[in-house]
Amino acid sequence: MATLIRNGRIVTAVDDYVADLLIDGGRICRIGLDLPVGGDVTVLDASGLLVLPGGVDVHTHLDSATPTAQTIDTFGSGTVAAAFGGTTTVVDYCTPLRGQSLLQGLEDWHRRRESACVDVGAHMIVLDADAATLQDMKTLVRREGVSSFKFFLAYPGALMVDDGALLEAMRVAGAHGALCCVHAENGHAIQVLVRDALARGDTAPKFHALTRPAILEGEAARRAIDLAELAGAPLYVVHLSTAQALGAVSDARRRGQRVHGETCPQYLLLNAEEYERPGFEAAKFVMSPPLREPEQPPQLWRGLQRGDIEVVATDHCAFCFDEQPNGMRFSKQLGIGSFNRIPNGAPGLEERLSLLHDAAVVQHGMSLNRFVDVCATAPAKLFGLFPFKGTIAVGSDADLVLFDPGERWTVRAAEHHSRSDYSLFEGRELTGKVKKVFLRGQCIVDGARWLGREGGGRFLPRTESTTPA
Ligand code: DUC
Ligand code: ZN
Ligand code: ZN
């Protein structure tokens, strides 16, 4: 059944105009003024609403084992949250178990992602660089549609790769057109600071942040950038949270190196003052990198403004605060008495578009085009999904969001769709709300009503990045 969206204000990364849009067979098939309607077409009036491409969130950890706990959102629950927030494409990090091959890790990930309700792709986390791993990396790019890899410079003994392995794996990625993603924090140096803090009896959640200083993000980012240059590989630095790491990215870009920057709403909108909350409450904000001193977020805003930060993703890595009803395995309570056992991460998939619209467009004067770019188009291009995803054009997937730019609402965990029992942004008033969401032409969200289907999401095999240097 075809659908005609009438009179919406269509916004892409480059255009902003009022027109009608015809969806058929899951694709956008016509855009124009006063399009004629046949009898079998559902007509929807979108006057006063923005018509945006479905959001593309390229940084999530759904149903994933982390060094301290299991993330609480399954692909089912996490992608329902995504959909209600206007995100129709998720690229999730597949974490293989230690000792498991990358291909086996991907097979397990595919089993878990079957419940996805929006379209999903996978990045592969690489833990070492033995011959089998390097061979699997090539197979992943050529055969499995996994065209990006992530390396952790933090979490020694769990996820961290050493510099030699990083260089070797980056060489393979670079030679096969894959993008290298890096978590930039110096894991060994952090280990020393954590050991000293615990020895002093400094066990409260705020010591998580104090043992992961900004300088160690800057150091790791510079190191990763230098090694990527040596390896001839393009680099994408995830979740930038400091001027130090951003400076490394900006310097490299100025030299002409292919380095891209991502940040997340929490680093733009929150700061380390959250760690002063009483009792264990501060654990809600324990994530890596941590929230930073109040002088850092304005620097990230400047990085976003000048284009050195191209993507805003969520790093949705959700846990519960309370033990009940989902059990200790998913709970921040694991870290009572030792900050280094608090699961690292927080929910955020559902609020990204509205938070960014409110903070960037309404408060910081960002254009709607750039808003669409950082939330959908740039990530789709960088991660080999464009033009099927990330834009509104004839032939593109009909992943669309009808968005009311004037509606005010308040973030409440009690109303969100993640299985996490809290929100980093609880009580925040936002301007701009998702009204309807289409996934390949199917309306999956209509106001507060869920019309999607568990398993209705498809796997997205990805190609090389289409973003020029
Ligand atoms: N890094 C991430 O990218 N996500 C969750 C935790 C972490 O350290
Ligand atoms: Zn990370
Ligand atoms: Zn992450």
Side-chain angles (χ1 to χ4, degrees):
M1 177 84 164
T3 305
L4 183 78
I5 300 176
R6 270 248 193 267
N7 275 325
R9 181 175 164 193
I10 298 172
V11 184
T12 69
V14 288
D15 290 314
D16 184 344
Y17 59 107
V18 173
D20 301 343
L21 195 153
L22 184 68
I23 303 168
D24 203 4
R27 298 268 172 95
I28 297 167
C29 55
R30 273 189 83 181
I31 301 173
L33 293 174
D34 300 321
L35 293 184
V37 204
D40 57 345
V41 175
T42 305
V43 181
L44 251 167
D45 183 19
S47 304
L49 299 178
L50 307 182
V51 183
L52 309 174
V56 178
D57 190 343
V58 290
H59 192 155
T60 67
H61 304 267
L62 298 173
D63 201 357
S64 177
T66 75
T68 43
Q70 183 77 13
T71 62
I72 188 136
D73 274 317
T74 61
F75 281 83
S77 65
T79 55
V80 171
F84 273 99
T87 288
T88 49
T89 295
V90 164
V91 187
D92 184 76
Y93 282 101
C94 169
T95 313
L97 303 173
R98 275 253 172 231
Q100 192 182 39
S101 74
L102 301 187
L103 290 174
Q104 284 164 345
L106 183 68
E107 212 177 297
D108 288 354
W109 179 92
H110 271 298
R111 223 167 286 128
R112 294 194 300 274
R113 69 91 189 151
E114 275 175 9
S115 61
C117 310
V118 304
D119 291 353
V120 288
H123 313 277
M124 180 58 69
I125 293 174
V126 176
L127 304 174
D128 52 40
D130 56 31
T133 301
L134 299 178
Q135 186 55 43
D136 278 4
M137 287 176 69
K138 296 178 203 169
T139 309
L140 286 167
V141 178
R142 290 186 188 143
R143 198 184 72 195
E144 302 293 334
V146 175
S147 56
S148 46
F149 297 98
K150 181 175 182 186
F151 306 95
F152 279 89
L153 304 191
Y155 304 116
L159 298 169
M160 193 174 97
V161 287
D162 63 37
D163 291 349
L166 179 62
L167 178 64
E168 285 214 78
M170 278 178 161
R171 281 205 295 227
V172 170
H176 291 80
L179 187 56
C180 296
C181 305
V182 68
H183 172 124
E185 286 188 299
N186 182 320
H188 278 138
I190 289 167
Q191 202 171 36
V192 170
L193 300 182
V194 168
R195 183 199 64 199
D196 291 354
L198 292 174
R200 285 193 306 269
D202 291 337
T203 58
K206 71 173 176 189
F207 293 101
H208 168 78
L210 293 170
T211 54
R212 306 182 89 90
I215 193 170
L216 295 183
E217 187 183 338
E219 184 279 331
R222 274 186 204 281
R223 182 160 36 103
I225 288 167
D226 288 347
L227 291 173
E229 185 179 9
L230 196 60
L235 186 70
Y236 176 90
V237 185
V238 304
H239 52 43
L240 287 167
S241 68
T242 58
Q244 287 83 344
L246 171 61
V249 168
S250 303
D251 289 350
R253 289 169 66 83
R254 231 174 288 123
R255 292 194 303 268
Q257 194 178 337
R258 222 186 119 194
V259 176
H260 307 280
E262 169 200 279
T263 193
C264 313
Q266 54 271 31
Y267 301 118
L268 290 166
L269 301 175
L270 302 175
N271 64 52
E273 285 165 5
E274 303 292 353
Y275 297 121
E276 299 308 324
R277 288 181 182 230
F280 195 60
E281 188 78 8
K284 291 178 177 174
F285 300 85
V286 165
M287 60 188 80
S288 291
L291 298 177
R292 301 298 188 179
E293 292 306 311
E295 62 272 15
Q296 294 280 8
Q299 309 263 10
L300 299 177
W301 280 107
R302 279 194 276 281
L304 193 57
Q305 208 167 23
R306 65 174 183 266
D308 287 337
I309 294 176
E310 290 164 271
V311 174
V312 178
T314 60
D315 195 6
H316 181 92
C317 185
F319 303 99
C320 268
F321 181 65
D322 287 320
E323 182 182 341
Q324 296 302 326
N326 293 303
M328 204 58 165
R329 198 153 81 87
F330 309 97
S331 171
K332 293 278 183 180
Q333 310 290 323
L334 285 165
I336 288 184
S338 343
F339 68 84
N340 61 326
R341 296 216 197 96
I342 301 171
N344 280 208
L349 246 176
E350 189 160 349
E351 293 88 14
R352 182 179 66 129
L353 257 57
S354 284
L355 281 169
L356 250 285
H357 179 267
D358 179 78
V361 178
V362 178
Q363 293 177 41
H364 275 80
M366 180 187 275
S367 70
L368 283 169
N369 302 118
R370 187 79 208 295
F371 163 67
V372 167
D373 196 28
V374 301
C375 291
T377 316
K381 287 181 175 175
L382 277 163
F383 289 97
L385 293 163
F386 188 84
F388 299 107
K389 305 295 188 188
T391 194
I392 296 176
V394 171
S396 293
D397 283 357
D399 294 351
L400 299 164
V401 178
L402 303 194
F403 190 84
D404 183 343
E407 183 168 334
R408 293 185 65 77
W409 65 287
T410 303
V411 179
R412 301 262 178 242
E415 287 158 27
H416 73 193
H417 298 82
S418 163
R419 290 171 67 196
S420 180
D421 56 357
Y422 77 95
S423 166
L424 295 175
F425 302 98
E426 183 71 27
R428 187 174 282 246
E429 278 197 27
L430 301 178
T431 300
K433 190 151 181 38
V434 170
K435 306 301 289 180
K436 286 186 200 293
V437 178
F438 294 83
L439 174 69
R440 283 177 275 102
Q442 294 295 315
C443 185
I444 58 172
V445 169
D446 185 5
R449 276 199 310 152
W450 172 242
L451 303 175
R453 179 172 68 77
E454 181 145 315
R458 285 189 187 156
F459 175 64
L460 296 169
R462 295 179 297 112
T463 59
E464 252 183 72
S465 191
T466 51
T467 300

